[in-house]
Amino acid sequence: MQFKAILVEKTDAGQSASLKELSVDSLMEGDVLVRVSHSTVNYKDGLALTGKAPVVRRFPMIPGIDFSGVVESSSHADWRPGDAVVLNGWGMGETHFGGYAGYARVKGDWLVPLPRNFTPAQAMAIGTAGYTAVLSVIALEKHGVAPADGPVVVTGAAGGVGSVAIALLAKRGWHVIASTGRPQEKAYLEGLGAAEVIDRKELSEKGRPLGKERWIAGVDGVGSHTLANVLAMTKYRGAVAACGLAQGMDLPASVAPFILRGVALLGVDSVMASKSRRIEAWERLARDLDTSKLAAMTSTIRLEETIGAGEAILAGKLRGRTVVRIA
Ligand code: NDP
């Protein structure tokens, strides 16, 4: 059985990505074969496609950290041909062949059922970025912060994690402050539910150890000085969920927000999250994510366009979420 896939191969210059024709026999080991219908472009996919960070740990590699599709064959007790499934993370596109392909062979334990209320295309419009956004929101709620305590700031607002986080937080009644480097996206961000839009320059430069208390909570997909400033401006007993590094992996902060204001920094990882956390996250998305807002933040491309989209996401040029239609 032949199918199209994006393949990243090692070259003398580093690595290169191209569209190839592969056979199912060339897929890696796993107990479930899935006919992939949709994947997405996440920030990490941009890193894998371009080689700008060592995301790909084995060459050649099919990138694509997530997919939705239908089980073609299975020797795993939980899955039967025809089941609609979703997969996020677990090293796909890094150590295991990923979603930019007509077929994927994976471990059945990594799969979750296609969440109720969503089509395969919508599940990938959410994708790993959206699922990480909901994990961040859940982390804040479990910490105990609530809309009555004050506003929430979302950094990288016009990106994938940011867009979904804004929609989810607004739905739960939060006053959302969206931080963006794209002032032209003000109306888009307000449409998702942002109450205020601020220039990311207010947060992206080196700041003071403690600043004016502006928000009780934050969802940060940016890292570096931005995260340091978000922490420095968080109100007493507030919390910030840190899930990304679009500005940088460093954290040039001081301990002042932690020891003087009792601020909590909550780490969010989606890749190795347990199945129960995944199911909780998807159930929350089914309950709280307005599908018209999801449509407003989604663009769709063909597999052939994925390599260019990888460059674009790293340049901060993709808005919201980008679905890759495979089938
Ligand atoms: P996107 O590129 O869609 O969003 C990132 C946004 O960050 C951009 O749209 C831009 O928003 C902002 N940004 C980009 N560059 C800079 C910069 N130099 N300084 C300040 N802001 C910047 O990526 P995703 O939403 O897919 O991912 C966001 C982050 O979350 C990534 O770092 C990704 O690796 C991480 N992530 C982590 C996961 C986990 O498991 N922890 C899972 C998924 C993602 P704007 O134009 O509005 O300023």
Side-chain angles (χ1 to χ4, degrees):
M1 218 157 25
Q2 298 289 118
F3 60 90
K4 282 188 182 155
I6 304 288
L7 200 67
V8 173
E9 294 170 289
K10 217 170 178 59
T11 63
D12 291 342
Q15 65 169 64
S16 80
S18 58
L19 186 68
K20 294 266 165 109
E21 186 93 8
L22 300 179
S23 84
V24 165
D25 297 340
S26 62
L27 290 172
M28 292 170 71
E29 282 192 10
D31 45 13
V32 182
L33 180 67
V34 178
R35 186 156 29 88
V36 178
S37 64
H38 301 82
S39 185
T40 78
V41 182
N42 299 279
Y43 193 87
K44 195 188 257 181
D45 296 314
L47 295 174
L49 284 161
T50 59
K52 293 225 166 90
V55 164
V56 174
R57 300 302 169 92
R58 168 202 189 281
F59 292 91
M61 176 54 61
I62 299 174
I65 64 169
D66 45 20
F67 67 67
S68 57
V70 172
V71 172
E72 181 86 9
S73 60
S74 166
S75 57
H76 189 286
D78 291 354
W79 306 109
R80 288 206 301 233
D83 287 345
V85 290
V86 170
L87 204 163
N88 300 94
W90 291 121
M92 274 216 322
E94 302 180 62
T95 52
H96 193 93
F97 283 1
Y100 295 161
Y103 285 90
R105 191 181 289 119
V106 297
K107 284 191 184 169
D109 289 346
W110 294 347
L111 295 165
V112 296
L114 175 72
R116 66 191 168 84
N117 298 7
F118 296 125
T119 64
Q122 286 171 326
M124 283 301 104
I126 296 164
T128 298
Y131 144 71
T132 302
V134 77
L135 289 176
S136 302
V137 172
I138 292 170
L140 291 174
E141 289 174 358
K142 287 195 171 151
H143 183 74
V145 286
D149 302 328
V152 60
V153 65
V154 176
T155 63
V161 172
S163 294
V164 178
I166 291 168
L168 291 171
L169 289 161
K171 171 85 176 189
R172 301 299 288 169
W174 284 90
H175 178 101
V176 181
I177 302 173
S179 165
T180 184
R182 292 182 262 182
Q184 69 274 22
E185 299 299 353
K186 186 169 188 284
Y188 163 75
L189 296 167
E190 287 171 348
L192 296 180
E196 289 177 59
V197 177
I198 63 170
D199 188 331
R200 78 181 189 202
K201 282 202 203 109
E202 288 185 35
L203 303 174
S204 59
E205 306 296 322
K206 184 174 174 356
R208 290 181 295 149
L210 274 185
K212 183 169 174 274
E213 293 177 68
R214 293 174 72 178
W215 34 74
I216 189 73
V219 173
D220 177 63
V222 172
S224 192
H225 289 298
T226 300
L227 176 56
N229 286 317
V230 166
L231 289 165
M233 295 179 198
T234 299
K235 287 173 188 267
Y236 192 74
R237 300 291 293 164
V240 178
C243 65
L245 43 60
Q247 184 179 11
M249 213 179 200
D250 56 331
L251 180 52
S254 86
V255 296
F258 310 122
I259 63 173
L260 298 177
R261 290 188 183 151
V263 168
L265 179 55
L266 311 172
V268 176
D269 163 66
S270 70
V271 179
M272 306 302 285
S274 65
K275 196 158 184 170
S276 61
R277 282 186 71 212
R278 287 166 191 264
I279 287 171
E280 179 188 9
W282 282 105
E283 280 173 357
R284 175 62 78 89
L285 285 158
R287 190 187 81 191
D288 282 355
L289 188 60
D290 180 338
T291 49
S292 66
K293 287 187 179 173
L294 183 62
M297 68 177 84
T298 304
S299 312
T300 302
I301 61 172
R302 292 174 293 121
L303 185 59
E304 291 80 347
E305 298 170 290
T306 310
I307 297 170
E311 301 271 356
I313 196 166
L314 296 192
K317 289 189 180 147
L318 293 191
R319 185 180 86 175
R321 298 281 304 130
T322 303
V323 171
V324 182
R325 194 188 300 118
I326 309 276

